[in-house]
Amino acid sequence: MTNLLLSELSNQDIDWMLQTGTRADLAAGTMLLHPDQTADQLFIVLQGALKAALAAPQSTGSVPAVQLSSGEMVGTFPLLESALPYVAASALTEVTVLALPRRALEHKLQEDLNFAAHLYRVSAQMLANRLEAMVQQLGHGSEMGLSRLQLKEASTVFAELQDQDLDWLIAVGQVRTLEPKAILQRQGRPVDALHILLEGAVTLRAEALTSPETPLPSPLLNAFEPVAAVDSELAAEAAQEIARLSRGDLVGETVFLDALPPAYQVQTLRECQVLSVPRWRLESKLLYDDGFAARIFRILALLLANKQQLFFQQLGILAESPEISSQLLNRLALAEARFEWMVKRIQSQVVSGRELKW
């Protein structure tokens, strides 16, 4: 994680953190975060190792503690409302941490979009790495459970994006209509575009998971498998549906984190209309538009934080909340309005010939 922080943060970012934060040296065994207290600081581990675990009250399951080493962050993840509460963290060794106050972070993230883009990207990558580490600890069964989590991404994506972001996506994207059973993304292949589902539904399918003792095939072997063989294999009974996505959901969002090619295939269930934005366009936009980058990486971090919560709920470690807050209802209404506005804009352009048939 040290390399991740140093590769993403600028000298200006580090200077601000040093000026704003407080360094502290902790002896082994010192409790840094108490599960019954809400964290109001973000701690960056500069040296040493921490042990962190979820300690939710009235939980029916358990999850192994994770070790956080140099470069990891724990505490209040910046402006991520769904970041997990009830986290206990203590020093495994002598530890040096940098503590950043939440209020100062919130102000900095709002005022400095370049800093925000860097820190949200780091947060998203760390959340992705921790989910992967937890899956490896809990075994293959949890991996299938994680894949089956049904996130309604539109409520996060379209509540966070601004109108100018949607205008840009519409301008550079290509509207495509796909026939039923068309392949949108092949298993093990690089992701070349971000796809937004405008209409229809797709299924994510993968080979049945093997036992932990069975070695996984090489990613290159999967990538260079003949297309006909892959399609035939996934069509067999051994292939399992791990998720379904519908209008407003994203396919290919892993391109923002330089993740490995997906271990599943995306296929249409019925005729679908998608807006496909090329990867090179997105990467270029992220480089020169700090505001867009900050919002995109914040969205990814929010989606991963939501997925982490759902994962713990599925394991019985966190109880599901029966209440829907007024804030969430307002976000859902805003997201729906923006998505419908985008669809109408796209449909007006489809009439003028921007649509492709696949």
Side-chain angles (χ1 to χ4, degrees):
M1 286 301 174
T2 299
N3 291 337
L4 176 62
L5 270 178
L6 293 179
S7 65
E8 295 297 335
L9 298 179
S10 67
N11 284 313
Q12 289 82 1
D13 299 335
I14 295 173
D15 287 341
W16 179 85
M17 289 179 169
L18 284 173
Q19 293 167 7
T20 307
T22 303
R23 283 177 55 133
D25 296 317
L26 308 176
T30 302
M31 184 68 77
L32 183 66
L33 288 174
H34 294 268
D36 56 347
Q37 296 178 349
T38 301
D40 59 358
Q41 292 176 300
L42 175 69
F43 298 97
I44 300 176
V45 183
L46 302 180
Q47 184 170 280
L50 295 174
K51 179 178 70 173
L54 194 69
Q58 300 177 347
S59 64
T60 58
S62 61
V63 65
V66 295
Q67 181 172 319
L68 307 179
S69 56
S70 175
E72 293 272 10
M73 300 191 299
V74 67
T76 174
F77 262 80
L79 295 184
L80 301 182
E81 294 83 356
S82 54
L84 290 173
Y86 317 120
V87 173
S90 59
L92 276 175
T93 64
E94 292 185 354
V95 175
T96 300
V97 298
L98 181 68
L100 298 169
R102 179 184 177 92
R103 288 188 178 181
L105 263 180
E106 290 176 346
H107 180 75
K108 180 68 171 175
L109 288 166
Q110 292 170 356
E111 297 297 320
D112 188 344
L113 293 178
N114 186 264
F115 175 84
H118 297 164
L119 196 59
Y120 281 133
R121 177 176 167 83
V122 169
S123 300
Q125 188 65 68
M126 285 188 180
L127 285 167
N129 291 343
R130 288 178 192 177
L131 268 174
E132 183 179 355
M134 283 187 288
V135 165
Q136 290 176 354
Q137 283 183 299
L138 295 173
H140 289 296
S142 63
E143 183 175 356
M144 181 60 73
L146 180 61
S147 299
R148 289 183 184 277
L149 295 178
Q150 298 295 302
L151 284 178
K152 192 57 188 170
E153 298 174 343
S155 60
T156 296
V157 174
F158 292 97
E160 294 289 331
L161 290 176
Q162 296 185 359
D163 291 345
Q164 63 262 34
D165 301 328
L166 299 180
D167 285 334
W168 182 82
L169 290 171
I170 294 171
V172 303
Q174 178 65 63
V175 181
R176 302 162 55 188
T177 296
L178 293 86
E179 301 293 341
K181 297 186 178 180
I183 304 299
L184 186 59
Q185 172 64 52
R186 296 193 180 279
Q187 176 179 330
R189 291 289 186 89
V191 178
D192 293 328
L194 172 70
H195 310 284
I196 302 174
L197 285 170
L198 305 176
E199 294 293 344
V202 300
T203 177
L204 278 60
R205 301 185 67 85
E207 298 176 58
L209 295 173
T210 56
S211 66
E213 293 77 18
T214 305
L216 296 175
S218 161
L220 276 177
L221 183 63
N222 283 336
F224 284 89
E225 188 76 23
V227 169
V230 174
D231 291 349
S232 174
E233 190 173 357
L234 287 172
E237 292 182 1
Q240 296 186 27
E241 181 179 74
I242 58 176
R244 288 192 179 190
L245 303 177
S246 57
R247 66 193 311 264
D249 287 331
L250 306 181
V251 177
E253 68 273 20
T254 55
V255 300
F256 295 112
L257 293 179
D258 299 324
L260 292 173
Y264 51 80
Q265 183 156 288
V266 183
Q267 188 175 28
T268 59
L269 288 168
R270 52 183 181 271
E271 184 176 273
C272 292
Q273 189 179 65
V274 300
L275 179 68
S276 300
V277 183
R279 178 173 183 163
W280 70 269
R281 287 275 197 178
L282 291 165
E283 291 176 340
S284 175
K285 178 76 166 172
L286 291 171
L287 285 175
Y288 71 78
D289 189 334
D290 291 335
F292 179 78
R295 289 185 290 275
I296 286 294
F297 290 126
R298 173 175 160 80
I299 286 170
L300 287 178
L302 282 168
L303 290 175
L304 287 162
N306 290 339
K307 198 166 190 177
Q308 185 175 245
Q309 275 201 333
L310 289 175
F311 186 44
F312 284 132
Q313 288 173 2
Q314 186 183 71
L315 293 175
I317 298 166
L318 278 181
E320 296 185 35
S321 175
E323 299 179 358
I324 300 178
S325 66
S326 59
Q327 183 181 13
L328 177 57
L329 289 174
N330 290 336
R331 285 173 61 85
L332 290 172
L334 174 61
E336 181 66 20
R338 280 184 172 160
F339 179 71
E340 293 299 336
W341 173 83
M342 187 182 75
V343 170
K344 289 179 181 178
R345 284 280 305 276
I346 290 172
Q347 287 175 342
S348 66
Q349 295 189 15
V350 167
V351 174
S352 59
R354 283 192 58 209
E355 185 180 29
L356 291 179
K357 197 80 170 180
W358 286 65

